[in-house]
Every structure is written in structure tokens, then in C-alpha cells.
Amino acid sequence: MQTSIQIIDETQIINKTGRKIFGTSLDTLQESHFKNYVTILSKHISAKIDDWAQCHGDLKSSPEVELFFVNRPLVKYPRRIKSTTVPIVVPFNLEGTQSNGTRYLDSPWVKLTLGRSPTIVVRAVFLWNERQFLFDQALMSGIRAPPTNPLLPIDQPIFEQFVQDYIDSVLLVPSPEAESVGLASISKRLPPEILWLFRNSWQTTRGPFSAIVAGALRSAVGKAAIGYTDLTKALIDQFFASETTEIRYESVLDLKDLFTLDRYRINDLLH
């Protein structure tokens, strides 16, 4: 099997020319939930491709496999990193590469195509997206929100405005009644995933609330990492088991018949 794995770390934002820096290898990744995700899913999809090829008798030539793993942060912080690395072009619009006989999976967590030309060609983009973690949790907690795809990083100044708005509207008000009014008002201004994160952080101003939120985000990703990975594995399994030409999901709530959401749901972020 000819497999190309490219890792795109969007936490490294810009170099001196203003270009994004891409192309981290698995070997150079530090130990992290993201590295575990890349390791598990690259092995899982390779095994599925091999099994699929054997079941369909496509053994005359080695499958061509191109995998992209994207590490997408919640907040986009401007950085200056000296590098001459040429950015990698990510085929997020995999649907545009379809031809007769090509099968396609579109979801917020993974985008996947499988075709024969005449050899097996598989391309996939896996999104490790901190904002998606939070949006999924918000939906599973009962917050109503329309699907939003893609969920892109929030610019630092805008995120800081969200934090200050929450502090002024909820944390610094003089009474529980004023807090209820503030919550009702701010829920119309904040994205649902940001509101979920703020509400599930320690409700105090004894320290910088931005630091408290950063800790809550790390905790959320840590608690949900296995579920996020398992959810993606379930989507891969369904794709290779199905003969459907196109499979599309917009929301984590659409996966209730495919995946046990309690395996991914965070019930208590603070403990």
C-alpha cells in the first residue's frame, strides 16, 4: 500500500512571509492527544482499505492512499516563525474530485473519497478541531444551534471580546436575577460552543477568566479525545461497509444510530 500521511498543524500560524507553516511529520509530533489520534486513525483506515481491497478482489495493484491530519485550534494567535517551508495544499473540497464510481463521505470530522482509476485511490482529511469538540458537546447538552461547517479558529481579539462580554454580563453582576438576565442576553451574542465552554468553566474572577477558560478547554479536549477518535473510526467503518455513493452528516446528533454518544459526551468538565 502506498500511503502518504501529511500533518497540518494550524497552531503554527505564519512565517515571516505571511504564509502558514504546514507539513509536520508524525515522528516529530510531541506526545499528545492529537498524536494518539493520528496514530490510531492512520492504522485503522489502512487496515480497512486492505480488507476492502481483499473483499473486492482489487489485489492486482497497491492502493494509493493520501491522508491529511489537521490540528485546528479554537483560537488563532498571531505568531512569527521563521521558515522557508512551502505550504501544503489540502484538498478540503474532495467532493470536487469525484468521478463516476467514486464514493464520498462528508462530515465535520472526516472527509473521505474512494475511487478506482483503475487502481484503488483513497483520500481523506481528518479534522482534529477544538471548536468542533465544543460544538458537539453543546449540542449533546441540549443547546440548540444550526450546523456550522466549517468551524474555523476564532481570531484572538474577537475571543478576548467574548471573554470580557461574559465577565461583564454574567460574572460581575450583583445578583442571581441579574445573572439570569445576563445569560439570556449573552446567549444571543456568543457562538453556542463558546457559551458551553464558558458555562462549564469555573465561575470566578479571582484569577484571569481567560486562563480559567484555557484550562477548561484543555480538560474538554482531554476528556473527549477518545470519544472523538472512536466517533471518527465509526464513520470510517460505515463508509467501507456501505455501498452508498454519498454519505453526509452535519451534526453529532445525526450519529445517534451509528455511535453511542455517551462515549463522547462530557458530563462533568470540572472534575
Side-chain angles (χ1 to χ4, degrees):
M1 187 182 302
Q2 304 173 40
T3 302
S4 168
I5 298 177
Q6 299 187 54
I7 298 169
I8 299 157
D9 188 356
E10 293 186 355
T11 64
Q12 301 181 29
I13 302 299
I14 39 180
N15 61 17
K16 61 183 179 181
T17 67
R19 290 183 172 181
K20 288 185 177 180
I21 300 172
F22 294 152
T24 303
S25 70
L26 180 58
D27 292 338
T28 61
L29 280 181
Q30 295 183 348
E31 293 299 323
S32 63
H33 296 298
F34 176 63
K35 183 173 183 176
N36 291 338
Y37 165 86
V38 174
T39 302
I40 291 170
L41 289 179
S42 58
K43 291 179 179 178
H44 187 75
I45 193 170
S46 294
K48 284 294 175 182
I49 294 168
D50 186 57
D51 290 344
W52 191 90
Q54 293 188 45
C55 289
H56 289 75
D58 291 326
L59 302 175
K60 295 180 181 179
S61 58
S62 178
E64 296 178 11
V65 182
E66 190 173 23
L67 309 178
F68 292 84
F69 290 88
V70 182
N71 184 7
R72 179 164 290 173
L74 173 64
V75 181
K76 182 169 67 175
Y77 295 96
R79 297 183 181 180
R80 294 288 173 180
I81 305 173
K82 294 182 179 179
S83 174
T84 57
T85 304
V86 178
I88 297 170
V89 178
V90 186
F92 282 105
N93 188 24
L94 290 180
E95 188 174 11
T97 67
Q98 286 193 82
S99 59
N100 290 337
T102 299
R103 295 167 53 206
Y104 181 68
L105 165 66
D106 180 28
S107 79
W109 310 274
V110 56
K111 301 180 186 298
L112 178 60
T113 64
L114 184 153
R116 303 179 190 178
S117 60
T119 60
I120 297 174
V121 179
V122 178
R123 293 187 175 89
V125 177
F126 296 92
L127 294 167
W128 176 270
N129 187 344
E130 290 182 345
R131 196 170 175 186
Q132 188 68 49
F133 274 86
L134 302 178
F135 188 73
D136 293 343
Q137 298 303 321
L139 291 180
M140 290 188 291
S141 74
I143 294 176
R144 295 182 179 180
T148 303
N149 193 25
L151 287 168
L152 299 175
I154 301 169
D155 288 337
Q156 180 184 5
I158 294 176
F159 188 77
E160 290 176 350
Q161 290 176 17
F162 289 160
V163 170
Q164 191 59 52
D165 192 5
Y166 186 82
I167 291 172
D168 294 340
S169 302
V170 178
L171 298 184
L172 294 182
V173 294
S175 67
E177 293 76 17
E179 180 181 338
S180 296
V181 172
L183 276 173
S185 175
I186 203 169
S187 65
K188 300 175 183 178
R189 299 193 296 274
L190 293 186
E193 65 276 10
I194 302 304
L195 179 61
W196 182 90
L197 176 63
F198 289 177
R199 291 301 293 160
N200 284 276
S201 301
W202 291 108
Q203 302 295 289
T204 179
T205 56
R206 292 183 178 179
F209 188 63
S210 57
I212 294 171
V213 167
L217 174 61
R218 288 192 298 271
S219 179
V221 171
K223 287 178 178 288
I226 294 175
Y228 192 93
T229 303
D230 287 346
L231 180 155
T232 308
K233 287 170 65 178
L235 288 168
I236 295 170
D237 292 347
Q238 184 202 31
F239 178 79
F240 283 100
S242 172
E243 295 297 329
T244 304
T245 302
E246 294 185 13
I247 301 173
R248 297 177 182 273
Y249 292 104
E250 292 185 336
S251 161
V252 69
L253 301 181
D254 297 337
L255 304 179
K256 288 185 288 187
D257 295 332
L258 176 68
F259 179 77
T260 304
L261 296 183
D262 282 342
R263 292 166 57 189
Y264 180 33
R265 191 192 320 268
I266 299 173
N267 293 317
D268 187 352
L269 184 58
L270 299 180
H271 296 93

